[in-house]
Amino acid sequence: MSEPQSQDPSLSVYLPGLKVACRAAAAPVAYLGHGWHPPEADFTWMDGPEAELVFLLRLPDGPLRLRLDLVPFVHGEALQTVEVFLNGLRLGFREVPDARQVVFDVPMEAFRGRVCRIALHCATARVAVAAGIDDSRRLGLGLATWTMEPA
């Protein structure tokens, strides 16, 4: 008996351990859902305070660990932050004062079906023009790479 075809056929399958580069020179970033600007040379900026990574994933054998290589939009004294959810389950909150990798443990209860939605929330995203930069976008965090691997 085949599995019901309720998933979006345009979603790409993600294999745990695959490191995904989110930059213009990389292969097209198939996992970017809503909330992203087009990829640039080194990373892809979130388009405002929320963005999603969306993909299909076979139920893993055990918990995973999510690694995000983030670059903050630095403007004055404001500190960038990120809150991450997987399929609605909150994985955690981190401050991102400089380019760094942030890591979140992903428990098994986060996996609900094959479609995975990783939501990134950056409440501190700001319009670059307000920081004196000739750019009308609302920037918070750039995503350079990400991966999910066995914990």
Side-chain angles (χ1 to χ4, degrees), residues 61-125:
D61 293 332
L64 297 178
R65 186 166 289 129
L66 172 65
R67 296 180 185 278
L68 303 168
D69 290 310
L70 299 174
V71 179
F73 173 60
V74 179
H75 54 89
E77 300 295 318
L79 180 66
Q80 297 294 3
T81 61
V82 65
E83 188 172 21
V84 177
F85 298 81
L86 175 59
N87 295 333
L89 180 69
R90 184 178 187 269
L91 301 182
F93 175 88
R94 303 284 189 281
E95 292 182 342
V96 188
D98 50 31
R100 65 178 53 199
Q101 185 176 88
V102 295
V103 180
F104 299 92
D105 290 329
V106 182
M108 289 300 292
E109 58 265 23
F111 301 105
R112 301 177 184 133
R114 291 206 57 206
V115 176
C116 287
R117 294 183 181 281
I118 298 173
L120 283 71
H121 296 268
C122 179
T124 51

Side-chain angles (χ1 to χ4, degrees), residues 32-56:
L32 297 179
H34 84 276
W36 299 99
H37 286 288
E40 296 181 7
D42 298 318
F43 48 81
T44 301
W45 284 111
M46 291 175 64
D47 182 8
E50 298 181 8
E52 278 189 337
L53 299 170
V54 184
F55 50 92
L56 296 175

Side-chain angles (χ1 to χ4, degrees), residues 9-51:
S10 66
L11 292 179
S12 295
V13 175
Y14 176 78
L15 299 174
L18 175 66
K19 187 172 188 176
V20 180
C22 300
R23 59 181 184 272
V29 185
Y31 309 109
L32 297 179
H34 84 276
W36 299 99
H37 286 288
E40 296 181 7
D42 298 318
F43 48 81
T44 301
W45 284 111
M46 291 175 64
D47 182 8
E50 298 181 8

Side-chain angles (χ1 to χ4, degrees), residues 118-151:
I118 298 173
L120 283 71
H121 296 268
C122 179
T124 51
R126 300 287 182 259
V127 177
V129 171
I133 299 170
D134 187 22
D135 190 332
S136 62
R137 298 178 296 173
R138 185 173 178 191
L139 304 174
L141 295 167
L143 179 62
T145 65
W146 69 274
T147 187
M148 289 179 74
E149 58 196 23

